[in-house]
Amino acid sequence: MPASVPPVPASPVPASPVSALIVGSGPTGLTLACDLARRSVDVRIIDRSPGFPRSSRAKGPNPRSLEVLADLGVADRVLAAGSAPLPMRKYRDGVPVADADPAASLRPTPDAPYAHGHLIAQWRLEEILRERLAEFGVRVELGAEAVGLSEADGLVTVALADGRSIGARYVVGCDGAHSRVRKLIGVPFEGTTTPEQAMVCGDVEVEGLDRGIWHQWFDEDGAVMLCPIPGTRAGWWFQAGPERDAAGAPVPPSLESFRRLFAKHARLPAGRLTGATLLSSYRVNERLAGRYRVGRVLLAGDAAHVHSIAGGLGMNTGIQDAFNLGWKLALVADGGADPRLLDTYEEERLPVAARTLDLTAERLRATLEAIRRPGGGLDTAITGETAGLGVGYPWSSLAGAGSTPRLRSGDRAPDAPCRDTATGRPVRLFDAFAGPHFTLLGFGPGTADALRAAEAAYGPVVRAYGVDAGAVRDLTDDAAHARTAYGISPSPASPGTLVLIRPDNHVALIAPADAAHEVTAYLDGLTGTPTPH
């Protein structure tokens, strides 16, 4: 295991303003920090905690988040540190009644390299992201609690609890459901809390259980779920319906309570469960921030939305918030785009969060109904929608013209295995997309001139690839996987097709090769002369 990145205390003396300050160093904040740092944005990331938490909490990235992590260069590390989803064993009255393996039939496809999510403790994922961030020369500054915020003359000043302050051109609150940043900018967090839908959680040590199984004991009067934590010898995620006292109130989580619940539902000796840590209580909250941006301050992750844990979309939605925001904030911070580009972050991600609230609520209802019957379990919460691969922004003002039978502007851009025409080596489209740039794909030889012109005009902002186009940077689509994924059929009568891909791997526009001016107009509109800021 790589050495953990050491913590860095916040600077004891005022420093020059930075381009971006991120408040909160969970997966959302770290993803955003990595994305900004690799784009050479001057970024700082602070956290109120005195040390890095060892919380396991979220169980891992879904397929779309794995694509994001691959783009950031850490997916291989995440896969090595975790495990594939485990089969689920459901019990009734302590007796196994059914097994389910939702991932068993899933396989990677040419357009989607990750067939399913991956189990990894949240602390380990955060550790990997901190290691990646350190490779760009940035480290999390601990013990820095934001308590005040003001904006004037194009600068946001964040006051810290110890009397210091940090100046930044933009601030992003990634500081969780109780976000201080959200409260400081006065953004409402409306929704509901359902106290009766409660759960107690923690990390526990358990001996004598098969670690190749996610064990789920569902009885009429309660439940206990134990999932092994990858990378540990005897560590497990513990989730259960809480005990109730004489008045019907939930009993706070404790080792003793966990042991009683374990003995009651698993029908196993209580002494097998030891070492309960990171204890917490969970109630179903469904809340959505009224705005994602107020001036130079933005919100992401749980600071902007919280919902039921059914489907495992909390951390994943935050990671994908960060990936949507990163390239936009980088362009604006570097003066390469008008600050109004940041309005498209809310325009695109707030509707996704609203849909996620509906999806997770529906999945929770379905799961609660399923576990009333012997054999029902958490597999009910998993659907194709929870993979995240279908999320797109066709309604966005950034969705340009054009479509194919398989793809619209705003959709996630598919992957496909190709071959470098010059060297013969395998190259995936995701390899071409990876990094802080737009990608212009040209399908067919008629696109070669447009590809060369775009790269010459926009330099490092755009990388152009031909697909069977005879371009300078050309890919051969031997098995037609790329054409199939993009819905583009070869036609002697066609001039070829141009597909512009955003830095977050969504389709910006689709145009025929003889309408290359549409690509130019799009990029000029995005990266033209910005307003003063």
Side-chain angles (χ1 to χ4, degrees), residues 189-194 284-287 306:
F189 201 44
E190 297 178 348
T192 60
T193 298
T194 311
V284 172
N285 281 288
E286 296 175 342
R287 298 185 181 274
V306 293

Side-chain angles (χ1 to χ4, degrees), residues 81-92:
S83 73
L86 298 175
M88 301 177 182
R89 179 160 297 159
K90 282 75 70 71
Y91 301 78
R92 197 74 161 193

Side-chain angles (χ1 to χ4, degrees), residues 423-519:
T423 66
R425 68 180 179 86
V427 177
R428 302 192 68 92
L429 290 185
F430 277 5
D431 297 332
F433 300 163
H437 58 263
F438 282 81
T439 304
L440 183 61
L441 295 180
F443 289 85
T447 63
D449 289 344
L451 296 174
R452 282 191 290 268
E455 201 161 86
Y458 297 100
V461 174
V462 176
R463 296 192 71 183
Y465 288 83
V467 180
D468 298 327
V472 173
R473 192 183 289 115
D474 202 59
L475 304 175
T476 300
D477 188 20
D478 288 314
H481 288 309
R483 287 185 175 276
T484 299
Y486 283 75
I488 298 171
S489 301
S491 170
S494 170
T497 303
L498 297 169
V499 183
L500 183 64
I501 311 298
R502 299 172 5 172
D504 60 351
N505 298 359
H506 284 265
V507 177
L509 67 81
I510 302 168
D514 56 7
H517 61 277
E518 293 183 15
V519 175

Side-chain angles (χ1 to χ4, degrees), residues 94-452:
V95 178
V97 293
D99 285 358
D101 189 351
S105 62
L106 301 177
R107 299 289 184 274
T109 59
D111 63 334
Y114 302 104
H116 47 67
H118 203 67
L119 291 177
I120 183 172
Q122 183 171 321
W123 65 263
R124 182 66 184 112
L125 175 61
E126 291 174 357
E127 195 171 62
I128 290 169
L129 287 168
R130 287 196 300 268
E131 291 161 2
R132 181 59 170 155
L133 186 59
E135 293 169 11
F136 298 110
V138 181
R139 286 178 168 80
V140 175
E141 302 171 35
L142 293 172
E145 181 181 0
V147 296
L149 188 151
S150 61
E151 181 179 336
D153 300 325
L155 190 69
V156 182
T157 301
V158 175
L160 304 182
D162 60 9
R164 294 174 297 120
S165 63
I166 299 174
R169 288 170 55 205
Y170 291 94
V171 171
V172 186
C174 303
D175 49 342
H178 301 288
S179 172
R180 179 67 64 85
V181 172
R182 186 188 64 242
K183 294 171 183 175
L184 288 170
I185 59 176
V187 170
F189 201 44
E190 297 178 348
T192 60
T193 298
T194 311
E196 62 272 19
Q197 292 178 346
M199 184 180 294
V200 289
C201 311
D203 288 7
V204 300
E205 300 256 328
V206 178
E207 298 288 352
L209 281 180
D210 183 349
R211 289 183 61 81
I213 298 290
W214 186 344
H215 301 271
Q216 302 170 13
W217 292 271
F218 293 110
D219 296 324
E220 291 185 5
D221 59 348
V224 165
M225 293 151 279
L226 281 167
C227 181
I229 301 173
T232 64
R233 183 191 66 82
W236 297 75
W237 284 294
F238 180 98
Q239 297 170 289
E243 293 184 301
R244 302 279 175 171
D245 62 19
V251 173
S254 66
L255 172 60
E256 294 72 23
S257 176
F258 283 10
R259 281 177 163 172
R260 289 192 296 268
L261 288 165
F262 177 69
K264 176 181 178 181
H265 295 291
R267 272 65 165 185
L268 294 171
R272 287 194 186 181
L273 189 152
T274 60
T277 59
L278 302 170
L279 307 181
S280 64
S281 296
Y282 169 82
R283 295 177 301 170
V284 172
N285 281 288
E286 296 175 342
R287 298 185 181 274
L288 184 62
R291 299 181 64 184
Y292 278 21
R293 180 189 179 199
V294 176
R296 293 176 175 270
V297 183
L298 302 104
L299 302 172
D302 286 354
H305 45 74
V306 293
H307 43 78
S308 159
I309 60 175
L313 292 177
M315 179 189 74
N316 287 289
T317 305
I319 287 174
Q320 291 156 39
D321 283 348
F323 201 49
N324 180 286
L325 177 59
W327 70 274
K328 300 172 182 178
L329 184 55
L331 270 178
V332 171
D334 287 346
D338 190 291
R340 287 174 293 186
L341 176 62
L342 295 176
D343 291 334
T344 67
Y345 166 61
E346 176 181 311
E347 178 189 3
E348 294 182 341
R349 292 302 298 175
L350 194 151
V352 170
R355 168 60 187 143
T356 301
L357 263 67
D358 291 341
L359 173 61
T360 55
E362 189 276 328
R363 287 294 88 205
L364 178 62
R365 285 192 295 270
T367 301
L368 292 175
E369 177 65 28
I371 64 176
R372 293 192 181 101
R373 303 182 298 272
L378 300 187
D379 49 306
T380 306
I382 301 171
T383 70
E385 286 187 279
T386 60
L389 299 177
V391 173
Y393 316 114
W395 62 83
S396 170
S397 59
L398 292 182
S403 65
T404 75
R406 294 287 302 272
L407 212 58
R408 302 168 297 174
S409 295
D411 287 349
R412 163 191 167 272
D415 193 13
C418 297
R419 178 170 53 84
D420 185 296
T421 304
T423 66
R425 68 180 179 86
V427 177
R428 302 192 68 92
L429 290 185
F430 277 5
D431 297 332
F433 300 163
H437 58 263
F438 282 81
T439 304
L440 183 61
L441 295 180
F443 289 85
T447 63
D449 289 344
L451 296 174
R452 282 191 290 268

Side-chain angles (χ1 to χ4, degrees), residues 55-66:
S55 173
S56 296
R57 291 185 293 183
K59 291 185 174 64
N62 66 9
R64 178 56 183 154
S65 290
L66 284 171

